[in-house]
Amino acid sequence: MAFRSCKSPALAPLAPLTLGIAAAFSAHAQSTTSTIDPQTLPPVTVTGRAPDAVATIGGFGDLPLSKLPLQASVISSVAMKDAGVQSLADITRFDASLGDAYNSEGYWSTLMVRGFATDNRFNFRRDGLPINAETALPLANKERIEILKGTSGMQAGTSAPGGLVNLVVKRPEGTVRSAALEWKQSRTWRGGVDIGQRFGEGDAFGMRVNAQYDDLDPQTHDLRGHSQLLAVAGDWRLTPDTLLEAEFETSHRSQPSVPAMSLLGNRVPDASAYDPRTNLNNQPWSQPVVLDGDTASLRWQQRLSADWRAVAHFATQRLVSDDRLAFPYGCSAEGNYDRYCSDGTYDLYDYRSDDEHRRTDALDLGVRGTLSTGGLLHELQTGVLFSRFKSRLQGQAYNYVGTGNIDGTAVTPADPTLTGTNTNRDERNTELYLRDAITLTPTWSAWLGLRHTRLKRESIATDGSQPVSYTDGFTTPWLALSHALQPGLLAYASWGQGIESEVAPNRARYTNAGQALAPLKSRQVELGLKGSATDLSWGLAAFDIVRPRFADVGSNCADDTNGNTCTHQEDGEQRHRGLEAEGAWTAGDWTLQGAAMWLHARVEDVASDATLNGKRPVNVPDRTLKLNLSWRVPLLTGLNLSAGAVHEGERMVLPDNSLSIPGWTRFDAAARYEQRVAGVGTLTWRVGIDNLSDRRAWKEAPLQFGHVYLYPLAPRTVRASVQIDL
């Protein structure tokens, strides 16, 4: 796990010329030049509080994070390479506020921010525009990943309250000639190239190409697959005031996914006795999950004057997927449909939903600039965002095929008959937004964010039944006040709201299967303190988030055999009060970085079952700690060694808190060596060992579709790579 030390995030593509500082939590890209020896470079650690670190997901353009009254993390492409990141789920190691929320190997990733699971339909952005994350999002052509923590009504019309994730695409920045080969235990190989060039009179044109191929064969049994990516980004500087940018990416991934373990009757199975390489999706008829994605965007930026700029940005995303699984679900023999049988058997289903089509289109028209009125300086952004989402699905198979077991040795016949319906959806949003950063005095600033959303949503079952249509409108405000106590020290307070959208699962048990529910409003209060100096940066934030709670209300809510008895609806609320702390300290050749979160999460005001009031939500750790110590070896220029630790606290398994999984701690180690070869370029060697002690533990315990799942911590994993930059 490594992060690089540099001075400007704008130079992030110069990966081979940077100093990598190993880390186990969020850090921010900087760069050095090739004329500076990294061994003699004064150590500078840049985190979310650094004066020149910028995260566009914050919503205030190019203002540095150190001056914004909010919390965000930026994970650079170099940091992801140093940590061996291969999917979005892998970035949870970088920040104490990030966690796992139903992350199955071979499937798309779901993240948790401040204890709330992100919504893959609404909480993800690509260069600031909404995308659908119900797919494997490629990372090879991404310059960085930005994570906004907290309620996001100012930045998004509808989204879960934990935070937003923004993927920033690599753009032409100069001459780039890079190729890499990576290996990961047991036999996973990845090869890729990154090529960039400016050309034409005055370097008016730029091109950036990323290509990658993965041969996937991880330690988990029966999980062979492959993936590939091709991405091209170009720009044209028509005039000094006009920039036109275009890019596209096409990706393909084919790999089986891994069903999770579950409770065995009324007990949590012993994680130390469970082989984390087990794959319960190993029937002779098991098929891979296939995820195809095509995304393209066009952005026009025009400088209107010295203080004002206009932007028009359009993007389209088209996804096609085949979702298949030998699906363990429940134990009818014991009358339990939310867990496996006490003897280690379970009901097994043949699940297939092929040829799923999802499309997202977005157009953002905005202006930004500064003006002075009444003695106050305003940095304004205003505009309108039009977005459209459409899903077209086919009939699906979800058929009982017999009894499986947790040893993965039982064999059952297949039944791919399309016996179930799916749900087609159409959504149209129009969002008017205004953001204003107001300088009140040299040390005081006020911040205003306002977004008005008009939406229209329709859904209908694939057999033409259950049509639903509704329109709605709402306004989500955000306010903050900040005070520069002294240079490098900022205090702030903020308040904001968010709107969330929910759809009842498409299962026979629900009276409202596949139907969209009315939007529900969440709110957040946050107090923060940020400090930065030459060798130390730190931050502290206290937050209080209240979110309406969705629940299954009725009888047989875990049983599809007696349909139409359960309703998915609002029922009470979930309140997360927490404290985040993070910092980085550099002393000579040593860098210590750390992040921690303490979270007091509770369920309140539940009407259907008052015994749940005061209980902890399922799958939310009460504390998280991520540390990393990095050493630049004085006797060998270019060598960095690091050791990291990740600790997550206890998680509840059942809503009544009668069962839980204990906390766990994982240790990692990594090394990065930059070798300059005369007449060739720079070779960057990386090696790492994740889960150094081969710790066995249950990593997470999501409650999904009314069923308890247990995902194991990945076994000890060795990885290595070599990168050449010409």
Side-chain angles (χ1 to χ4, degrees), residues 52-85:
D52 54 1
V54 175
T56 56
I57 191 64
F60 289 96
D62 297 330
L63 289 176
L65 282 173
S66 62
K67 296 182 179 180
L68 291 181
L70 50 80
Q71 298 294 317
S73 294
V74 180
I75 303 169
S76 72
S77 58
V78 168
M80 289 187 281
K81 289 179 182 178
D82 289 343
V85 169

Side-chain angles (χ1 to χ4, degrees), residues 435-501:
R435 306 183 191 107
D436 189 6
I438 309 168
T439 302
L440 303 175
T441 72
T443 59
W444 286 92
S445 296
W447 310 77
L448 169 67
L450 199 64
R451 182 174 292 261
H452 179 73
T453 302
R454 297 290 303 177
L455 62 82
K456 180 178 181 180
R457 292 184 172 165
E458 299 175 340
S459 67
I460 188 171
T462 51
D463 63 359
S465 64
Q466 299 178 315
V468 176
S469 178
Y470 73 92
T471 59
D472 204 351
F474 41 82
T475 300
T476 46
W478 183 83
L479 304 169
L481 185 66
S482 65
H483 177 49
L485 300 172
Q486 63 184 48
L489 183 61
L490 180 77
Y492 70 88
S494 68
W495 171 88
Q497 293 182 338
I499 292 291
E500 192 168 2
S501 176

Side-chain angles (χ1 to χ4, degrees), residues 106-150:
Y107 203 53
W108 56 65
S109 302
T110 305
L111 303 177
M112 181 184 296
V113 187
R114 288 184 171 176
F116 291 105
T118 55
D119 188 326
N120 283 41
R121 297 165 298 168
F122 302 113
N123 281 67
F124 288 80
R125 299 292 184 268
R126 187 175 182 274
D127 282 341
L129 294 183
I131 58 170
N132 190 310
E134 295 174 306
T135 189
L137 294 170
L139 301 179
N141 67 321
K142 304 305 185 295
E143 178 54 43
R144 63 185 185 271
I145 299 175
E146 303 173 344
I147 300 101
L148 172 72
K149 302 179 228 180

Side-chain angles (χ1 to χ4, degrees), residues 3-7 19 21-23 25-30 41-53 531-538 583-588 590-594 628 630 632:
F3 297 83
R4 55 181 173 177
S5 178
C6 42
K7 293 182 180 178
L19 172 66
I21 297 180
F25 76 103
S26 126
H28 300 268
Q30 319 168 58
L41 178 70
V44 178
T45 299
V46 176
T47 70
R49 284 48 181 191
D52 54 1
S532 60
T534 301
D535 57 358
L536 175 67
S537 62
W538 58 273
W585 176 51
T586 299
W590 295 88
T591 299
L592 176 64
Q593 295 179 301
N628 198 89
S630 174
R632 292 184 302 142

Side-chain angles (χ1 to χ4, degrees), residues 9 280 310 327 355 358 382 453 482 503 607:
L280 302 181
F327 194 9
D355 201 28
R358 297 176 176 89
T382 186
T453 302
S482 65
V503 176

Side-chain angles (χ1 to χ4, degrees), residues 15-16 81 178-181 682-686 721-725:
K81 289 179 182 178
S178 180
L181 182 65
T682 302
L683 288 173
T684 302
W685 304 86
R686 296 178 174 94
S721 69
V722 59
Q723 175 182 324
I724 183 170
D725 296 273

Side-chain angles (χ1 to χ4, degrees), residues 230-478:
L230 175 63
V232 179
D235 65 37
W236 179 18
R237 298 171 181 169
L238 287 82
T239 72
D241 296 328
T242 306
L243 175 64
L244 183 64
E245 299 172 293
E247 57 85 23
F248 81 91
E249 69 180 38
T250 180
S251 63
H252 169 81
R253 182 184 180 95
S254 176
Q255 186 182 22
S257 63
V258 182
M261 262 293 285
S262 185
L263 298 177
L264 300 183
N266 294 321
R267 65 182 178 89
V268 176
D270 183 5
S272 64
Y274 182 77
D275 185 354
R277 290 169 282 266
T278 301
N279 182 4
L280 302 181
N281 182 24
N282 64 346
Q283 294 295 319
W285 43 268
S286 295
Q287 293 184 305
V289 173
V290 181
L291 303 171
D292 291 305
D294 296 311
T295 307
S297 70
L298 184 66
R299 180 165 57 190
W300 171 72
Q301 301 184 58
Q302 179 67 47
R303 182 182 299 159
L304 304 176
S305 68
D307 298 321
W308 286 89
R309 183 177 64 171
V311 178
H313 193 185
F314 171 76
T316 182
Q317 178 198 43
R318 302 187 183 191
L319 306 176
V320 181
S321 60
D322 297 327
D323 194 355
R324 304 138 164 182
L325 185 66
F327 194 9
Y329 191 95
C331 175
S332 58
E334 296 178 357
N336 293 321
Y337 296 92
D338 63 345
R339 65 195 72 184
Y340 298 164
C341 301
S342 54
D343 64 356
T345 61
Y346 48 74
D347 298 344
L348 187 65
Y349 294 81
D350 186 342
Y351 172 74
R352 310 186 193 207
S353 181
D354 289 346
D355 201 28
E356 299 180 346
H357 289 252
R358 297 176 176 89
R359 176 172 176 174
T360 302
D361 299 307
L363 173 63
D364 186 18
L365 304 173
V367 294
R368 65 176 60 174
T370 61
L371 61 85
S372 181
T373 176
L376 302 177
L377 179 64
H378 297 259
E379 297 190 45
L380 287 167
Q381 295 185 49
T382 186
V384 58
L385 172 64
F386 304 96
S387 60
R388 178 180 65 182
F389 169 74
K390 177 186 294 186
S391 66
R392 291 296 179 266
L393 312 180
Q394 316 302 318
Q396 63 179 355
Y398 185 68
N399 305 313
Y400 176 77
V401 293
T403 301
N405 60 51
I406 60 173
D407 296 328
T409 57
V411 177
T412 68
D415 186 359
T417 308
L418 302 181
T419 55
T421 60
N422 246 315
T423 303
N424 293 326
R425 297 187 178 92
D426 289 273
E427 303 179 6
R428 292 179 181 271
N429 289 352
T430 301
E431 304 171 34
L432 303 172
Y433 61 87
L434 171 68
R435 306 183 191 107
D436 189 6
I438 309 168
T439 302
L440 303 175
T441 72
T443 59
W444 286 92
S445 296
W447 310 77
L448 169 67
L450 199 64
R451 182 174 292 261
H452 179 73
T453 302
R454 297 290 303 177
L455 62 82
K456 180 178 181 180
R457 292 184 172 165
E458 299 175 340
S459 67
I460 188 171
T462 51
D463 63 359
S465 64
Q466 299 178 315
V468 176
S469 178
Y470 73 92
T471 59
D472 204 351
F474 41 82
T475 300
T476 46
W478 183 83

